[in-house]
Amino acid sequence: MISATLATLASTSPSMFSSGRYLKHLGYQVSYVRNFTDVDDKIIARANELGEDPISLSRRFCEEFNRDMEQLQCLDPSVEPRVSDHIPHIIDLIKQIIDNGYAYEVDGDVYFSVDKFPTYGKLSGRKLEDNRAGERVAVDTRKRHPADFALWKTAKEGEVFWESPWGKGRPGWHIECSAMSAAYLGYSFDIHGGGMDLVFPHHENEIAQSCAACDSSDISYWIHNGFVTVDSEKMSKSLGNFFTIRQVIDLYHPLALRLFLMGTHYRSPINYSDFLLESASERVFYIYQTLHDCESVLGEKDSTYDNGSIPSDTLTSINTFRSEFVASMSDDLLTPVTLAAMSEPLKTINDLIHTRKGKKQPNREESLKALETTVREVLTILGLMPTSYSEVLEQLKEKALKRAGLNEEDVLERVKERTDARKDKEYERSDAIRKELASVGIALMDSPEGTTWRPAIPLTLQEPSTTT
């Protein structure tokens, strides 16, 4: 159970970005720790390849990561500790584990003794006998049990190191997170997050070493996000289907990527495909266009309203949406359900703006304001609220043009050619131009005021799905 006024979170994963805002919405004071491992075997190996200091290399990648998180409007952590700044905390924690009889030193290395911790495996459900030695790494015969893991490693020649009671060395991977979370949140806190691949051994080892240091250590909830697949195949460098956030947002708006990620429950695998990214991009354009149209209708008029002035069917739509939002987000952050529930109030807004019946509805402007306010509040909690509707719509169109390999002048020229063709009753040519643009994700919309365009899912991506 989360404490009455304070929610404490620890995570290295962006899977936390919807939980923190929602907890704040519920009235919790959120303390969110996102730690960085800035020294480990892989970092040292990569730094040696580049001839760069490992701490400097890590700092550069941490800065790049933070830029990506800012683009995705992820919640800023309360504190962002790094291993290299917390060596004294780590050494003190290891000493406490040794003093409590759960670890031992061998030739300058310190190992956690899993045999001494009877509940080892309680998070993952694995048993010690399941961890067969030698399957993935060579067995260290100095260890008392093959599953014992390193808390402190003796520095190899040329490696970064720190002085310790056991000699020159550096922390093992698992101990770092326990030490940093304890430094800022204590040994017991509410939520610990990370990727599904961290359940074992990383988080299992965290539990063991934290409890070994402090027997009252306890994490109320563990949340783990699913893997990313690409067209239903696991993303990996070896398969050549690996890409970065930076590469994705070069072609798609960051808020489209965010909505795409939230369209799958965080515990489930996320299947990345061009079609799904295009669908998310089209969806956010629809959301922001609807709210922009609403804003335009309301203009500079008095934006105040009270529930008594709103028709009962509109008020029911608002209350239903709010209830579904709270119910779905409170049920393990079911963001896909929340996003689906948004359809009804958005449809109501469009009906009030564009249909004859809607335009004649009593207290229409009060209804629009109430609906827009409600949707905006939910978008803000989900981290999907842009600084300006008009600005984000232009940005979405720019991204669509880039994906299509066109510029605004190209599209306007084709629109003019199509308009001329229609005037000359060359309907086949007119239809061909429309289809040509639609095939690359540019949808034309005709109205009494003329023809405009908006981003859409390219026909080239839609057509295969209609034949399966």
Side-chain angles (χ1 to χ4, degrees):
M1 192 67 184
I2 296 176
S3 54
T5 59
L6 176 65
T8 48
L9 320 176
S11 178
T12 56
S13 168
S15 67
M16 302 294 292
F17 60 44
S18 57
S19 60
R21 282 193 175 92
Y22 183 63
L23 289 169
K24 287 185 174 183
H25 167 69
L26 295 179
Y28 292 103
Q29 176 189 342
V30 175
S31 182
Y32 171 26
V33 177
R34 184 172 69 200
N35 65 282
F36 283 125
T37 295
D38 60 354
V39 58
D40 68 5
D41 293 339
K42 291 182 179 179
I43 293 170
I44 291 171
R46 181 62 173 159
N48 289 338
E49 286 177 19
L50 299 174
E52 188 174 352
D53 173 69
I55 304 301
S56 174
L57 174 68
S58 297
R59 185 178 300 112
R60 182 156 53 84
F61 278 103
C62 291
E63 290 169 355
E64 293 294 320
F65 172 84
N66 281 333
R67 275 194 279 273
D68 288 343
M69 294 303 100
E70 182 180 2
Q71 287 281 328
L72 292 177
Q73 296 193 175
C74 291
L75 181 70
D76 289 334
S78 309
V79 63
E80 204 166 50
R82 304 183 186 198
V83 170
S84 59
D85 296 327
H86 292 78
I87 299 300
H89 296 88
I90 294 169
I91 290 174
D92 287 346
L93 184 61
I94 295 173
K95 288 165 65 178
Q96 185 64 46
I97 295 171
I98 293 174
D99 290 345
N100 290 347
Y102 289 92
Y104 56 94
E105 184 263 341
V106 181
D107 302 329
D109 293 326
V110 180
Y111 292 100
F112 186 92
S113 181
V114 294
D115 276 341
K116 297 289 183 69
F117 193 72
T119 59
Y120 187 78
K122 66 179 181 179
L123 179 67
S124 62
R126 294 172 64 128
K127 298 178 181 179
L128 273 180
E129 52 266 32
D130 296 334
N131 305 326
R132 289 172 291 182
E135 287 194 334
R136 298 186 62 184
V137 295
V139 177
D140 187 341
T141 56
R142 299 175 306 156
K143 295 196 294 184
R144 297 175 183 174
H145 188 286
D148 290 353
F149 56 90
L151 301 178
W152 187 263
K153 297 181 176 183
T154 302
K156 298 175 183 176
E157 184 68 30
E159 283 187 350
V160 61
F161 66 85
W162 288 268
E163 295 288 350
S164 80
W166 317 286
K168 296 177 180 179
R170 57 185 174 83
W173 174 33
H174 312 297
I175 195 67
E176 303 165 354
C177 298
S178 288
M180 289 186 284
S181 60
Y184 295 95
L185 301 175
Y187 285 101
S188 295
F189 52 92
D190 297 303
I191 302 171
H192 196 318
M196 195 70 73
D197 55 329
L198 299 183
V199 174
F200 185 90
H202 185 50
H203 288 163
E204 197 71 74
N205 291 350
E206 274 194 67
I207 291 172
Q209 63 203 9
S210 293
C211 290
C214 176
D215 58 11
S216 62
S217 175
D218 182 59
I219 309 302
S220 301
Y221 301 98
W222 290 87
I223 66 174
H224 297 96
N225 59 275
F227 297 123
V228 177
T229 61
V230 181
D231 293 324
S232 299
E233 281 192 317
K234 182 180 178 181
M235 178 190 285
S236 70
K237 289 183 179 179
S238 61
L239 292 175
N241 62 357
F242 178 87
F243 42 81
T244 64
I245 290 173
R246 200 72 52 85
Q247 290 171 319
V248 176
I249 62 178
D250 182 52
L251 293 175
Y252 295 92
H253 196 283
L255 290 176
L257 176 56
R258 184 178 178 93
L259 183 133
F260 160 74
L261 294 171
M262 299 181 81
T264 299
H265 186 243
Y266 75 88
R267 289 187 187 271
S268 301
I270 297 177
N271 185 36
Y272 180 100
S273 70
D274 289 340
F275 176 77
L276 293 174
L277 255 295
E278 290 285 355
S279 299
S281 188
E282 184 180 61
R283 184 61 180 172
V284 292
F285 190 90
Y286 167 76
I287 292 170
Y288 300 139
Q289 184 66 64
T290 298
L291 297 175
H292 178 261
D293 291 347
C294 183
E295 195 174 62
S296 298
V297 170
L298 294 172
E300 299 299 322
K301 296 176 183 177
D302 182 9
S303 61
T304 59
Y305 70 92
D306 62 77
N307 288 346
S309 65
I310 302 173
S312 59
D313 56 345
T314 302
L315 193 58
T316 298
S317 174
I318 290 171
N319 290 336
T320 299
F321 175 49
R322 283 178 171 160
S323 296
E324 290 177 341
F325 166 67
V326 172
S328 59
M329 290 296 288
S330 297
D331 185 10
D332 199 19
L333 303 173
L334 289 174
T335 50
V337 178
T338 293
L339 294 173
M342 197 180 295
S343 298
E344 189 59 33
L346 290 171
K347 179 182 182 300
T348 303
I349 290 173
N350 277 310
D351 287 345
L352 288 169
I353 295 173
H354 300 295
T355 67
R356 289 184 180 180
K357 181 180 178 182
K359 291 176 181 179
K360 294 179 181 179
Q361 181 173 299
N363 300 318
R364 170 176 174 255
E365 290 173 2
E366 288 84 351
S367 293
L368 285 172
K369 183 59 187 176
L371 287 160
E372 190 272 340
T373 297
T374 302
V375 174
R376 176 161 35 85
E377 287 173 353
V378 170
L379 289 175
T380 300
I381 296 165
L382 296 178
L384 289 168
M385 187 63 193
T387 54
S388 160
Y389 297 138
S390 58
E391 183 179 295
V392 74
L393 289 169
E394 285 304 310
Q395 292 168 348
L396 284 161
K397 292 177 78 171
E398 288 170 7
K399 295 289 187 183
L401 289 170
K402 186 171 185 177
R403 295 195 298 274
L406 300 170
N407 57 44
E408 183 82 16
E409 291 71 27
D410 295 330
V411 175
L412 295 179
E413 179 62 30
R414 299 300 279 158
V415 168
K416 183 178 182 303
E417 290 176 17
R418 178 173 173 272
T419 300
D420 291 341
R422 294 174 73 196
K423 286 179 181 177
D424 296 337
K425 298 185 179 180
E426 298 178 9
Y427 298 120
E428 284 189 13
R429 180 165 172 250
S430 168
D431 291 344
I433 293 171
R434 177 192 283 275
K435 187 171 183 179
E436 172 197 324
L437 291 173
S439 69
V440 292
I442 306 297
L444 300 184
M445 299 172 291
D446 298 319
S447 72
E449 290 76 33
T451 300
T452 56
W453 72 274
R454 63 172 176 80
I457 303 172
L459 281 180
T460 51
L461 292 178
Q462 293 184 50
E463 288 170 350
S465 65
T466 62
T467 59
T468 57

